[in-house]
């Protein structure tokens, strides 16, 4: 067994989140070992957080003396995947932080930094719901709405490295204002906080009858997307309608993007995706109804849960290293 593990290559997968830092050793075959996590404490600023990241990675590297070929970091964007600079992260409050260089200078191991949603898409392609698919879309529904595009087996970055922002597909230029500054982006309807906003609008403005307040003991300030999921699971008509409408917005977005990118399948990831069929069924039915050019396109729930970014980061680190050795440009 020792002999076998000595021959296996390992990468460190790292997930740099606004709340938690998470690291693990991942083998080239996708085995995950030595998981660690710490609070990010983003308020202490980039230098302190980077010190913490280095410390956490060193802890992982110590584990088992395994041969680590490279380190992949899934980070919030916008970022430049070529230089590994975090251009601006509202979550971390970072501007122009050269993360890749800081880590490589301290750890002497090649580091790949890429967008967390793109890393999740790659993780799902490597070991999750997208196994065997060389072209796929992955939508990550959480506090924001992230997107990943796998094109011919690799992450598609576009001209400036910012491709994949499916959450900023504009559904209605006169719609609600989005965090990106535009109006009516998908994110401004289906991120977890916006699912809550639509529900509260329906309750407070439109006086819709619903049992949703019971799920928060009458205190609607505490309402989260999870409570609305619970109410929909219990057949509350308003909560079910909110999920139906969420499926419509996502289905409409996918119907616009699928004819352009021609993916084999679509994966729905992130905390809101844990609603399962309550969300997936309306997405599928609206997509099938709206899109005529190509169907059926399977819409699947992500399989890696929280670990998509972490595992994807390690997978990209392996893949990029392979590309470097074969002198192929970019990923
Ligand atoms: Zn936007």
């Amino acid at each position: 067994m020792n002999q076998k593990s000595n021959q296996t290559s390992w990468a460190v997968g790292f997930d740099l989140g606004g709340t938690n830092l998470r690291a693990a050793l991942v083998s080239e075959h996708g085995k995950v070992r030595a998981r660690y996590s710490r609070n990010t404490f983003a308020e202490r600023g980039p230098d302190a957080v980077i010190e913490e990241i280095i410390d956490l990675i060193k802890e992982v590297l110590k584990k088992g003396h395994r041969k680590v070929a490279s380190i992949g970091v899934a980070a919030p964007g916008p970022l430049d995947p070529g230089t590994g600079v975090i251009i601006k992260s509202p979550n971390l409050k970072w501007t122009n932080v050269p993360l890749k260089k800081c880590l490589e200078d301290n750890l002497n191991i090649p580091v790949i930094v890429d967008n967390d949603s793109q890393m999740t898409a790659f993780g799902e392609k490597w070991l999750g719901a997208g196994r065997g698919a060389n072209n796929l879309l992955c939508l990550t529904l959480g506090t924001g709405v992230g997107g990943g595009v796998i094109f011919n087996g690799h992450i598609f970055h576009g001209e400036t490295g910012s491709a994949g922002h499916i959450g900023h597909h504009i559904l209605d230029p006169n719609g609600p204002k989005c965090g990106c500054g535009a109006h009516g982006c998908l994110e401004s309807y289906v991120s977890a906080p916006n699912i809550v906003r639509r529900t509260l609008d329906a309750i407070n403005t439109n006086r819709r009858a619903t049992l949703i307040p019971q799920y928060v003991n009458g205190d609607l300030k505490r309402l989260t997307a999870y409570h609305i999921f619970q109410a929909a699971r219990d057949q509350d008509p308003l909560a079910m309608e909110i999920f139906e409408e969420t499926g419509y917005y996502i289905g409409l977005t996918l119907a616009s993007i699928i004819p352009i990118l021609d993916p084999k399948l679509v994966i729905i990831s992130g905390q809101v995706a844990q609603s399962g069929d309550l969300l997936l069924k309306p997405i599928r039915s609206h997509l099938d109804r709206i899109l005529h050019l190509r169907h059926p396109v399977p819409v699947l729930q992500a399989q890696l849960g929280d670990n998509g970014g972490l595992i994807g980061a390690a997978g990209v680190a392996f893949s990029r290293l392979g590309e470097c050795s074969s002198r192929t440009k970019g990923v």
Side-chain angles (χ1 to χ4, degrees), residues 167-168 178-182 185 187:
H168 301 286
C178 177
C180 75
C185 295
E187 179 172 300

PDB file of all heavy atoms in Angstrom, residues 167-168 178-182 185 187, ligand 1:
ATOM      1  N   GLY A 167     -24.410  34.115 -14.079  1.00  0.00           N
ATOM      2  CA  GLY A 167     -25.268  34.856 -13.150  1.00  0.00           C
ATOM      3  C   GLY A 167     -25.557  36.271 -13.611  1.00  0.00           C
ATOM      4  O   GLY A 167     -26.493  36.903 -13.140  1.00  0.00           O
ATOM      5  N   HIS A 168     -24.739  36.784 -14.543  1.00  0.00           N
ATOM      6  CA  HIS A 168     -24.953  38.152 -15.018  1.00  0.00           C
ATOM      7  C   HIS A 168     -25.536  38.181 -16.436  1.00  0.00           C
ATOM      8  O   HIS A 168     -25.451  39.193 -17.132  1.00  0.00           O
ATOM      9  CB  HIS A 168     -23.669  38.974 -14.869  1.00  0.00           C
ATOM     10  CG  HIS A 168     -23.248  39.001 -13.429  1.00  0.00           C
ATOM     11  ND1 HIS A 168     -23.918  39.762 -12.489  1.00  0.00           N
ATOM     12  CD2 HIS A 168     -22.318  38.279 -12.750  1.00  0.00           C
ATOM     13  CE1 HIS A 168     -23.385  39.523 -11.292  1.00  0.00           C
ATOM     14  NE2 HIS A 168     -22.421  38.635 -11.424  1.00  0.00           N
ATOM     15  N   CYS A 178     -28.572  44.674  -9.902  1.00  0.00           N
ATOM     16  CA  CYS A 178     -27.698  43.566  -9.513  1.00  0.00           C
ATOM     17  C   CYS A 178     -26.433  44.138  -8.857  1.00  0.00           C
ATOM     18  O   CYS A 178     -26.086  45.308  -9.079  1.00  0.00           O
ATOM     19  CB  CYS A 178     -27.334  42.776 -10.767  1.00  0.00           C
ATOM     20  SG  CYS A 178     -26.186  41.424 -10.495  1.00  0.00           S
ATOM     21  N   GLY A 179     -25.735  43.316  -8.097  1.00  0.00           N
ATOM     22  CA  GLY A 179     -24.485  43.743  -7.461  1.00  0.00           C
ATOM     23  C   GLY A 179     -23.435  44.183  -8.470  1.00  0.00           C
ATOM     24  O   GLY A 179     -22.521  44.941  -8.133  1.00  0.00           O
ATOM     25  N   CYS A 180     -23.532  43.738  -9.726  1.00  0.00           N
ATOM     26  CA  CYS A 180     -22.534  44.104 -10.743  1.00  0.00           C
ATOM     27  C   CYS A 180     -22.797  45.497 -11.307  1.00  0.00           C
ATOM     28  O   CYS A 180     -21.992  46.021 -12.059  1.00  0.00           O
ATOM     29  CB  CYS A 180     -22.527  43.075 -11.872  1.00  0.00           C
ATOM     30  SG  CYS A 180     -23.940  43.205 -12.990  1.00  0.00           S
ATOM     31  N   GLY A 181     -23.935  46.102 -10.959  1.00  0.00           N
ATOM     32  CA  GLY A 181     -24.249  47.438 -11.455  1.00  0.00           C
ATOM     33  C   GLY A 181     -25.321  47.430 -12.537  1.00  0.00           C
ATOM     34  O   GLY A 181     -25.978  48.450 -12.779  1.00  0.00           O
ATOM     35  N   ALA A 182     -25.496  46.284 -13.205  1.00  0.00           N
ATOM     36  CA  ALA A 182     -26.531  46.189 -14.248  1.00  0.00           C
ATOM     37  C   ALA A 182     -27.893  45.913 -13.602  1.00  0.00           C
ATOM     38  O   ALA A 182     -28.002  45.775 -12.384  1.00  0.00           O
ATOM     39  CB  ALA A 182     -26.167  45.082 -15.230  1.00  0.00           C
ATOM     40  N   CYS A 185     -30.128  41.034 -13.959  1.00  0.00           N
ATOM     41  CA  CYS A 185     -29.288  39.832 -14.161  1.00  0.00           C
ATOM     42  C   CYS A 185     -29.975  38.630 -13.514  1.00  0.00           C
ATOM     43  O   CYS A 185     -30.737  38.778 -12.546  1.00  0.00           O
ATOM     44  CB  CYS A 185     -27.937  40.005 -13.476  1.00  0.00           C
ATOM     45  SG  CYS A 185     -26.912  41.300 -14.150  1.00  0.00           S
ATOM     46  N   GLU A 187     -28.773  36.676 -11.450  1.00  0.00           N
ATOM     47  CA  GLU A 187     -28.469  36.706 -10.011  1.00  0.00           C
ATOM     48  C   GLU A 187     -29.459  37.561  -9.216  1.00  0.00           C
ATOM     49  O   GLU A 187     -29.762  37.249  -8.065  1.00  0.00           O
ATOM     50  CB  GLU A 187     -27.035  37.229  -9.805  1.00  0.00           C
ATOM     51  CG  GLU A 187     -26.628  37.330  -8.346  1.00  0.00           C
ATOM     52  CD  GLU A 187     -25.154  37.653  -8.169  1.00  0.00           C
ATOM     53  OE1 GLU A 187     -24.314  36.864  -8.637  1.00  0.00           O
ATOM     54  OE2 GLU A 187     -24.829  38.688  -7.557  1.00  0.00           O
TER      55      GLU A 187
HETATM   56 ZN1  LIG B   1     -25.177  41.318 -12.598  1.00  0.00          ZN
END
